[in-house]
Structure formats: C-alpha cells, structure tokens
Amino acid sequence: MSLGKDYAGQQCSMAGALEVVGERWTLLVIRDALYGVRRYNDFLAHLGIPRAVLASRLQALTAEGILEKRRYQESPPRDEYVITERGIALWPVLRSLGRWKREQYEETQLRYFRHADCGTELGSYGECPTCAVVVPVADVVVDPGPGLDPDPADPVSRALLKPRRLLQPIESDPV
C-alpha cells in the first residue's frame, strides 16, 4: 500500500500537525525564522532550497499563520517573513528533534542554546537548570558549537557564528 498525500482519514492530532509542518523543508524554514532569517534570499542561501519550493513553503506557512509577510521596501516591492506566536510555539519541537539527533547518533554539538540572563545551557525541556524556569524563546541565545564549519559560504551561516538571541533579525551580508 502506498503512502497517501495527506492524513485526512486519520483522527490524530499528530497527523493534523504533519499536514501543516510535515514536509521535508518546512521545519527548516521555521528553524531559520527562529534564528532570525526573514528575507527570501537569506532563506534561499542558507537552506540551498529550490526557489519554487521555498516560494511554496513560505506561502503555505503564511497561509497557516506560522509566518507573517511584511513589506520592508516599496520600490522595488520587497517583503520579509516574520515568525508569529504560532510559529514560535514550534520551538520545543525543533529543539527536541535536534537534541534527539545529536544524542542518538553521537553527533558533535553544532550549537548551544543558553539562557540569556545567566548563560546556562538549556536543559532537555528548554528549562534553565540554574534559574529553574522554562526560558522563553526571546531569551534564548544560540552559540556556535565545535561541529560548525568555521568558514561557511552563505551569509546566514556566517552571522550564526557569533552568539545571538533567537528571533532577532539576521543582518546578513549581501548575497
């Protein structure tokens, strides 16, 4: 039996969530939006995603209320994609997936996620072990780890070589 194109016949919240975010590129677009990527060319350069696929994912994520399209330039017209509260709510999912991969496959740490207030690395559930609080996304600092390429080709990866808070817009080099 072949896998269908949707999960319409299933009565399952996970199946419903996969309808929205279960496509290969979608979670990576959301991850980049959490890192502060907002502009089409920055998504394109960092992800290495085909243009048509990126345009389709951005349109779908906007339609679902996960990203919001905002005009930042009138002539020529240019838009950016800002993550919404609905998109920010996916942070624990993305963090857990990355942590699972690193732990199950003994991967070298690519990034550290720390509490901005005290610098402590977040625990398994996004909590600060020192402050005993679940850290809001805006108070998470992402630091490069030893597994990152120290000389990446794309401007987003270069920007992510310095510690920065999640959600802050990436100021990348021109593409």
Side-chain angles (χ1 to χ4, degrees), residues 22 28 31 37-38 42 50 56 58-59 63 66-67 71-72 86-87 106-107 123 129-130 138 140 145 150-151 155 168:
L28 295 177
R31 176 210 59 194
V37 175
R38 292 182 169 192
D42 288 337
S56 174
L58 291 172
Q59 183 178 20
I66 294 169
L67 297 177
R71 179 73 33 106
Y72 71 88
R86 183 175 281 175
E106 299 176 8
E107 181 179 83
T130 301
V140 174
D151 189 28
Q168 289 186 335

Short mmCIF file of all heavy atoms in Angstrom, two decimals, residues 22 28 31 37-38 42 50 56 58-59 63 66-67 71-72 86-87 106-107 123 129-130 138 140 145 150-151 155 168:
data_model
loop_
_atom_site.label_atom_id
_atom_site.label_comp_id
_atom_site.label_asym_id
_atom_site.label_seq_id
_atom_site.Cartn_x
_atom_site.Cartn_y
_atom_site.Cartn_z
N GLY A 22 4.78 18.84 8.15
CA GLY A 22 5.46 17.57 7.93
C GLY A 22 6.26 17.43 6.66
O GLY A 22 6.88 16.39 6.44
N LEU A 28 12.72 23.26 8.45
CA LEU A 28 13.97 24.01 8.28
C LEU A 28 13.71 25.49 8.02
O LEU A 28 14.45 26.35 8.50
CB LEU A 28 14.80 23.40 7.16
CG LEU A 28 15.29 21.97 7.43
CD1 LEU A 28 16.04 21.44 6.21
CD2 LEU A 28 16.14 21.91 8.68
N ARG A 31 12.83 26.75 11.44
CA ARG A 31 14.07 26.87 12.22
C ARG A 31 14.81 28.15 11.87
O ARG A 31 15.22 28.91 12.74
CB ARG A 31 14.98 25.67 11.95
CG ARG A 31 16.34 25.76 12.66
CD ARG A 31 17.45 25.06 11.92
NE ARG A 31 17.66 25.58 10.59
CZ ARG A 31 18.38 24.95 9.67
NH1 ARG A 31 18.93 23.79 9.93
NH2 ARG A 31 18.55 25.49 8.48
N VAL A 37 16.13 34.63 10.44
CA VAL A 37 16.09 34.80 8.98
C VAL A 37 14.70 35.32 8.62
O VAL A 37 13.70 34.79 9.07
CB VAL A 37 16.39 33.47 8.26
CG1 VAL A 37 16.24 33.63 6.75
CG2 VAL A 37 17.79 32.98 8.62
N ARG A 38 14.65 36.35 7.79
CA ARG A 38 13.38 36.94 7.39
C ARG A 38 13.25 37.14 5.89
O ARG A 38 12.15 37.21 5.37
CB ARG A 38 13.18 38.30 8.07
CG ARG A 38 12.99 38.20 9.56
CD ARG A 38 12.76 39.54 10.16
NE ARG A 38 12.32 39.40 11.55
CZ ARG A 38 11.82 40.39 12.24
NH1 ARG A 38 11.71 41.60 11.70
NH2 ARG A 38 11.44 40.19 13.48
N ASP A 42 17.91 35.21 1.95
CA ASP A 42 18.64 34.60 3.06
C ASP A 42 18.18 33.16 3.30
O ASP A 42 18.99 32.27 3.54
CB ASP A 42 18.49 35.43 4.33
CG ASP A 42 19.28 36.73 4.28
OD1 ASP A 42 20.25 36.81 3.49
OD2 ASP A 42 18.93 37.67 5.02
N PRO A 50 15.39 24.80 -3.58
CA PRO A 50 14.95 25.32 -4.88
C PRO A 50 13.98 26.50 -4.70
O PRO A 50 13.16 26.50 -3.78
CB PRO A 50 14.25 24.13 -5.53
CG PRO A 50 14.83 22.94 -4.86
CD PRO A 50 15.12 23.37 -3.44
N SER A 56 6.75 28.18 -2.37
CA SER A 56 5.58 27.40 -1.97
C SER A 56 5.51 27.25 -0.45
O SER A 56 4.44 27.40 0.15
CB SER A 56 5.64 26.03 -2.63
OG SER A 56 4.62 25.20 -2.16
N LEU A 58 6.93 29.19 1.90
CA LEU A 58 6.64 30.49 2.53
C LEU A 58 5.17 30.84 2.39
O LEU A 58 4.54 31.34 3.33
CB LEU A 58 7.52 31.57 1.92
CG LEU A 58 9.02 31.48 2.27
CD1 LEU A 58 9.81 32.49 1.45
CD2 LEU A 58 9.27 31.66 3.76
N GLN A 59 4.60 30.58 1.24
CA GLN A 59 3.18 30.85 1.02
C GLN A 59 2.32 29.99 1.95
O GLN A 59 1.38 30.49 2.58
CB GLN A 59 2.81 30.59 -0.44
CG GLN A 59 1.38 30.91 -0.77
CD GLN A 59 1.07 30.67 -2.25
OE1 GLN A 59 1.78 29.95 -2.95
NE2 GLN A 59 0.01 31.29 -2.71
N ALA A 63 -0.05 31.27 4.99
CA ALA A 63 -1.48 30.93 5.00
C ALA A 63 -1.88 30.25 6.32
O ALA A 63 -3.00 30.46 6.80
CB ALA A 63 -1.82 30.02 3.82
N ILE A 66 1.85 30.79 10.52
CA ILE A 66 3.12 30.48 11.18
C ILE A 66 4.14 31.57 10.89
O ILE A 66 4.97 31.89 11.74
CB ILE A 66 3.61 29.08 10.74
CG1 ILE A 66 2.63 28.04 11.28
CG2 ILE A 66 5.04 28.81 11.20
CD1 ILE A 66 2.82 26.65 10.74
N LEU A 67 4.06 32.14 9.70
CA LEU A 67 4.86 33.30 9.32
C LEU A 67 3.91 34.42 8.92
O LEU A 67 2.78 34.16 8.48
CB LEU A 67 5.78 32.98 8.14
CG LEU A 67 6.85 31.92 8.33
CD1 LEU A 67 7.61 31.69 7.02
CD2 LEU A 67 7.81 32.29 9.44
N ARG A 71 5.91 43.95 4.32
CA ARG A 71 6.64 44.75 3.34
C ARG A 71 7.71 45.56 4.05
O ARG A 71 7.46 46.26 5.00
CB ARG A 71 5.63 45.66 2.63
CG ARG A 71 6.15 46.61 1.59
CD ARG A 71 6.58 46.03 0.26
NE ARG A 71 5.90 44.89 -0.26
CZ ARG A 71 5.03 44.87 -1.27
NH1 ARG A 71 4.69 45.99 -1.86
NH2 ARG A 71 4.51 43.73 -1.69
N TYR A 72 8.95 45.46 3.57
CA TYR A 72 10.03 46.26 4.16
C TYR A 72 10.60 47.26 3.18
O TYR A 72 11.40 48.11 3.56
CB TYR A 72 11.14 45.38 4.75
CG TYR A 72 12.01 44.65 3.75
CD1 TYR A 72 13.15 45.25 3.23
CD2 TYR A 72 11.72 43.36 3.35
CE1 TYR A 72 13.97 44.58 2.32
CE2 TYR A 72 12.53 42.69 2.45
CZ TYR A 72 13.64 43.30 1.94
OH TYR A 72 14.45 42.64 1.04
N ARG A 86 2.35 31.47 16.67
CA ARG A 86 2.07 30.08 16.27
C ARG A 86 3.36 29.39 15.84
O ARG A 86 3.57 28.22 16.14
CB ARG A 86 1.04 30.07 15.14
CG ARG A 86 0.64 28.67 14.73
CD ARG A 86 -0.45 28.69 13.71
NE ARG A 86 -1.71 28.92 14.40
CZ ARG A 86 -2.87 29.08 13.80
NH1 ARG A 86 -2.95 29.07 12.48
NH2 ARG A 86 -3.97 29.27 14.49
N GLY A 87 4.21 30.10 15.12
CA GLY A 87 5.49 29.53 14.71
C GLY A 87 6.45 29.37 15.87
O GLY A 87 7.15 28.36 15.98
N GLU A 106 25.26 10.39 18.31
CA GLU A 106 26.52 10.87 18.85
C GLU A 106 27.17 11.92 17.95
O GLU A 106 28.35 11.85 17.63
CB GLU A 106 27.47 9.70 19.11
CG GLU A 106 26.90 8.73 20.12
CD GLU A 106 27.77 7.51 20.34
OE1 GLU A 106 28.89 7.44 19.82
OE2 GLU A 106 27.30 6.61 21.06
N GLU A 107 26.36 12.88 17.56
CA GLU A 107 26.82 13.96 16.69
C GLU A 107 27.54 15.03 17.50
O GLU A 107 27.17 15.31 18.63
CB GLU A 107 25.58 14.57 16.01
CG GLU A 107 25.89 15.68 15.05
CD GLU A 107 24.61 16.21 14.42
OE1 GLU A 107 23.94 17.06 15.05
OE2 GLU A 107 24.29 15.78 13.30
N GLY A 123 18.27 22.96 29.52
CA GLY A 123 18.06 21.54 29.77
C GLY A 123 17.22 20.91 28.67
O GLY A 123 16.84 21.56 27.68
N PRO A 129 18.54 25.19 34.14
CA PRO A 129 18.79 24.49 35.39
C PRO A 129 19.20 25.42 36.54
O PRO A 129 18.89 25.14 37.69
CB PRO A 129 19.94 23.54 35.05
CG PRO A 129 19.90 23.38 33.57
CD PRO A 129 19.38 24.69 33.04
N THR A 130 19.83 26.54 36.22
CA THR A 130 20.27 27.47 37.26
C THR A 130 19.11 28.29 37.80
O THR A 130 18.95 28.44 39.01
CB THR A 130 21.36 28.41 36.71
OG1 THR A 130 22.46 27.62 36.26
CG2 THR A 130 21.83 29.41 37.75
N ALA A 138 12.55 34.24 23.16
CA ALA A 138 13.24 35.52 23.01
C ALA A 138 14.41 35.67 23.97
O ALA A 138 15.27 36.53 23.78
CB ALA A 138 12.26 36.68 23.18
N VAL A 140 16.55 33.14 24.63
CA VAL A 140 17.50 32.07 24.31
C VAL A 140 18.59 32.64 23.42
O VAL A 140 18.31 33.30 22.42
CB VAL A 140 16.80 30.89 23.59
CG1 VAL A 140 17.83 29.85 23.13
CG2 VAL A 140 15.75 30.25 24.49
N GLY A 145 28.81 25.82 18.18
CA GLY A 145 29.48 24.71 18.83
C GLY A 145 30.67 24.25 18.00
O GLY A 145 30.91 24.76 16.89
N PRO A 150 33.84 26.63 10.46
CA PRO A 150 34.27 27.96 10.88
C PRO A 150 34.34 28.98 9.73
O PRO A 150 34.50 30.17 9.98
CB PRO A 150 35.66 27.72 11.46
CG PRO A 150 36.14 26.49 10.77
CD PRO A 150 34.91 25.66 10.48
N ASP A 151 34.19 28.52 8.49
CA ASP A 151 34.26 29.42 7.34
C ASP A 151 33.17 29.07 6.32
O ASP A 151 33.47 28.63 5.21
CB ASP A 151 35.65 29.32 6.70
CG ASP A 151 35.86 30.39 5.64
OD1 ASP A 151 35.24 31.47 5.74
OD2 ASP A 151 36.64 30.12 4.69
N PRO A 155 25.80 33.79 3.88
CA PRO A 155 25.79 34.88 4.86
C PRO A 155 25.05 34.56 6.15
O PRO A 155 25.42 35.07 7.20
CB PRO A 155 25.13 36.04 4.11
CG PRO A 155 24.38 35.41 2.99
CD PRO A 155 25.11 34.16 2.64
N GLN A 168 15.91 37.56 16.81
CA GLN A 168 16.47 38.83 16.34
C GLN A 168 16.79 38.72 14.86
O GLN A 168 17.43 37.75 14.44
CB GLN A 168 17.71 39.22 17.13
CG GLN A 168 17.42 39.62 18.54
CD GLN A 168 18.65 40.14 19.25
OE1 GLN A 168 19.77 39.81 18.91
NE2 GLN A 168 18.42 40.96 20.25
#
